[in-house]
Amino acid sequence: MKKHLLPPEGNWYKANLHCHTTVSDGNFSPERMKEEYKKRGYSIVAYTDHQLMVDHSYLADADFLPLIGWEYEVCENKPWGEHPLACHICFIALDNTNPRQHVMNGSRYLEKARAYAPYFCFDPEHVDMVYDYSTKSMTEVMQKGREAGFFVTYNHPAWSLETRDQYTNYHGMHAMEICNYGCYSSGYEDYNAYIYDDMLRAGERIYCTATDDNHNGGAGDDAFHDSFGGFTMIRAESLDYRTVTRALENGDFYASMGPEIYELYLEDDAVHIKCSPARTIALHGGVRVSWAKHAKDGELLTEATFPLYGLNLRYFRLSVTDAEGKRANTNAYFTDTL
């Protein structure tokens, strides 16, 4: 019997779930962000400016959905020159009817963002709630976010300089960034497949996303160097806000830097994947078990099958690598729930 791991029906929507605009430290206005991403086939952008949640629903149209969110950040109490550790978390509102920012530390950008005051999702007179940098505090922020109705993601651990002692002790996120393209394109090792496995092996049952985290600095073509390189493909029936965020909650998506995944299903004690042309398709089990199918010279793969019988895996996930070395990653699937 065939069991689909990604929904067989619905539409695929290309999404950037992490970006910064002129509301905080980005160089594109929210309007231009929409324009540039729509040009390149994106249907969804989560507006996640630093510390401030602003509702850009006025940008919605039949082919474009702005998600409401913000990025919360806390640094270790050290001077910047000493390279303090940091934790950055994105919160995306699951419901767009009167969302409210559950924790605020927005004084740095508040004046700059005044032009968007009619769309603020917080009380500007609200006293800032500043947390210290600790795994306990960051877990509390994540868990409060879930309780307040947000999709919670943990961002760019390599840029943040965090180690296993930090990120495996955060609890409450829905997902982590397996790729943060803005950091990756700047030279940081923020393709984080190993860290994703670290967190899964430590007991977290979380998804993975690929994002741009774009700020669009520079001029001319340089303005795009941190954009359009990490995206999340969401399978949903329509571009309705709650339909899309429910797909996020359900894990009906995959993360990519380029390759596409068309089908993913279980049948006859094996996992089957169909995808765009690939150099390598691999199954990862979080233990000393891994399988890979490699294309012969001059050829490319578009599907693969991996037997699961007898492997005793707690979870598995798949990756697809194309001829340019760009990767797509599925979420992890836990065998005790399948």
Side-chain angles (χ1 to χ4, degrees):
M1 180 178 176
K2 182 182 290 188
K3 178 180 177 63
H4 291 279
L5 301 179
L6 287 171
E9 298 178 350
N11 303 303
W12 285 112
Y13 296 112
K14 191 173 185 178
N16 177 18
L17 298 179
H18 185 176
C19 76
H20 299 283
T21 73
T22 50
V23 171
S24 61
D25 63 348
N27 288 279
F28 283 0
S29 68
E31 292 78 9
R32 187 174 179 195
M33 191 74 71
K34 170 186 175 177
E35 176 188 351
E36 297 296 345
Y37 273 82
K38 279 194 72 175
K39 279 184 199 174
R40 292 161 178 84
Y42 287 74
S43 301
I44 300 167
V45 169
Y47 287 85
T48 55
D49 276 298
H50 294 286
Q51 312 294 34
L52 304 176
M53 187 166 77
V54 179
D55 184 352
H56 297 291
S57 296
Y58 60 89
L59 293 174
D61 63 37
D63 303 310
F64 183 79
L65 177 67
L67 298 180
I68 307 165
W70 88 101
E71 184 177 30
Y72 188 78
E73 57 187 81
V74 176
C75 287
E76 194 179 18
N77 188 23
K78 289 182 179 180
W80 194 251
E82 294 182 18
H83 309 292
L85 304 183
C87 181
H88 286 207
I89 307 162
C90 275
F91 298 97
I92 297 172
L94 294 172
D95 194 319
N96 63 338
T97 58
N98 197 35
R100 282 293 174 261
Q101 190 167 339
H102 73 286
V103 62
M104 183 178 173
N105 182 14
S107 55
R108 180 161 40 134
Y109 297 108
L110 194 54
E111 288 308 313
K112 183 179 180 184
R114 285 288 178 187
Y116 292 91
Y119 309 108
F120 285 173
C121 295
F122 56 87
D123 179 355
E125 305 304 319
H126 179 74
V127 177
D128 284 358
M129 299 172 64
V130 181
Y131 285 79
D132 65 305
Y133 176 81
S134 69
T135 54
K136 180 181 178 182
S137 291
M138 295 302 94
T139 290
E140 182 179 343
V141 172
M142 290 178 185
Q143 291 177 344
K144 282 186 174 180
R146 286 184 81 119
E147 293 165 5
F150 292 93
F151 186 80
V152 182
T153 66
Y154 169 60
N155 304 337
H156 50 59
W159 180 94
S160 299
L161 301 179
E162 294 200 294
T163 66
R164 195 176 192 278
D165 289 341
Q166 281 83 37
Y167 56 71
T168 59
N169 284 295
Y170 293 147
H171 309 295
M173 69 189 77
H174 289 90
M176 61 84 66
E177 290 181 336
I178 199 167
C179 174
N180 181 295
Y181 182 71
C183 294
Y184 180 83
S185 67
S186 299
Y188 297 94
E189 292 290 345
D190 264 306
Y191 174 71
N192 298 304
Y194 188 82
I195 291 176
Y196 185 38
D197 279 320
D198 256 357
M199 299 176 82
L200 296 169
R201 285 194 296 263
E204 294 300 302
R205 297 197 174 205
I206 58 175
Y207 306 133
C208 65
T209 63
T211 73
D212 277 340
D213 188 9
N214 52 307
H215 295 72
N216 300 102
D221 291 340
D222 290 341
F224 307 103
H225 82 281
D226 61 356
S227 302
F228 322 118
F231 55 90
T232 301
M233 294 296 294
I234 302 170
R235 187 76 146 174
E237 289 297 324
S238 68
L239 206 54
D240 168 74
Y241 194 104
R242 190 66 185 101
T243 301
V244 166
T245 59
R246 191 172 288 113
L248 288 175
E249 288 184 283
N250 293 339
D252 295 338
F253 59 88
Y254 65 89
S256 185
M257 301 171 74
E260 296 178 89
I261 297 173
Y262 304 132
E263 288 188 66
L264 185 67
Y265 60 93
L266 296 175
E267 191 173 42
D268 298 328
D269 290 321
V271 59
H272 305 257
I273 185 171
K274 296 183 180 181
C275 59
S276 57
R279 187 181 66 203
T280 300
I281 304 173
L283 179 142
H284 313 276
V287 291
R288 204 166 286 114
V289 171
S290 184
W291 299 98
K293 301 287 180 69
H294 302 282
K296 296 178 181 179
D297 287 348
E299 299 179 6
L300 291 171
L301 304 171
T302 56
E303 59 184 300
T305 298
F306 299 100
L308 295 175
Y309 180 77
L311 296 182
N312 195 29
L313 299 179
R314 190 170 68 88
Y315 74 87
F316 63 87
R317 61 181 187 83
L318 289 89
S319 64
V320 176
T321 306
D322 68 14
E324 297 179 0
K326 296 178 180 179
R327 297 179 183 179
N329 289 271
T330 73
N331 288 314
Y333 297 93
F334 290 84
T335 54
D336 63 359
T337 65
L338 297 175

